[in-house]
Amino acid sequence: MSKPKPEVSQINLGERLLTVAEAAEVLSTSERFPRRLIAERRIRFVRLGEPGRRGHVRIPESALREYIAGGLVEPMTTSDVWKAA
């Protein structure tokens, strides 16, 4: 019996794919941080090269924007402060 193929999400082929170094620069972090996000599957990424081999990894710009937006904390207003008290 053959294994079912994993679901593959589509990316825009015209979208820019960032290297780990470029993603780190956008995030103002070391290269280790985007690598950890990839290892923990906390961000979408593309693996280039032959299936089953390690190959090169690229991060779509949209995935980086989604990751940043997901961590966005809105500021509290004066009415929010009084509600929290």
Side-chain angles (χ1 to χ4, degrees):
M1 264 193 148
S2 64
K3 286 184 179 180
K5 290 187 178 182
E7 186 178 322
V8 177
S9 54
Q10 300 294 318
I11 65 164
N12 179 357
L13 294 179
E15 182 174 13
R16 184 161 178 243
L17 299 175
L18 304 173
T19 64
V20 170
E22 291 168 333
E25 188 175 324
V26 169
L27 296 170
S28 299
T29 65
S30 69
E31 289 185 28
R32 185 175 181 185
F33 183 67
R35 287 186 194 284
R36 193 172 82 220
L37 293 176
I38 291 167
E40 295 172 359
R41 302 293 199 265
R42 293 171 50 199
I43 194 167
R44 290 183 300 115
F45 65 95
V46 177
R47 189 178 305 275
L48 305 174
E50 295 179 33
R53 303 191 97 182
R54 294 189 83 180
H56 299 280
V57 172
R58 298 292 185 266
I59 302 169
E61 274 186 314
S62 62
L64 211 52
R65 284 193 302 271
E66 290 166 10
Y67 178 79
I68 293 168
L72 182 65
V73 178
E74 295 294 335
M76 292 181 72
T77 63
T78 306
S79 61
D80 292 335
V81 173
W82 286 108
K83 289 177 192 174

